[in-house]
Amino acid sequence: MSAWVEILKLKDGRYYLKTLLTILTALIKTYDKSSKVNSFYYNGKEYWLDKNTRMGLMNLAKCNPSSINLVLDDTIVTTSADKAIEFLS
């Protein structure tokens, strides 16, 4: 929090905006990698996949209208492509 206080005290608008943009970009990237964004529930258990894996699986599910196999921890789950897209979104 003290970093925010120091930034808000700055008087140079350009420096302030560049610094703020850098900090906000880092916060967004960190949040995007968190389980708050990339997690989903299957059979009551929470799973986390990074964005690239999620997007790759979604693309695969969109190409295969019948079913898809997902590796969730040590379990292989076969589900419909529609259901996979639903909880990977």
Side-chain angles (χ1 to χ4, degrees), residues 3-17 19-20:
W4 287 105
V5 172
E6 291 303 314
I7 291 170
L8 294 173
K9 288 180 184 176
L10 297 173
K11 300 293 184 198
D12 181 357
R14 179 188 291 171
Y15 179 75
Y16 168 79
L17 290 175
T19 303
L20 187 60

Side-chain angles (χ1 to χ4, degrees), residues 14-62:
R14 179 188 291 171
Y15 179 75
Y16 168 79
L17 290 175
K18 287 176 104 175
T19 303
L20 187 60
L21 180 60
T22 301
I23 290 170
L24 290 175
T25 301
L27 289 171
I28 290 168
K29 286 181 180 181
T30 301
Y31 182 77
D32 188 46
K33 294 177 183 176
S34 74
S35 62
K36 294 176 183 172
V37 174
N38 297 320
S39 67
F40 61 93
Y41 288 88
Y42 181 78
N43 285 343
K45 185 174 177 188
E46 184 177 23
Y47 294 95
W48 182 86
L49 298 171
D50 64 73
K51 184 177 181 178
N52 290 336
T53 302
R54 246 183 36 251
M55 296 308 295
L57 288 171
M58 284 186 59
N59 289 335
L60 181 62
K62 289 175 184 176

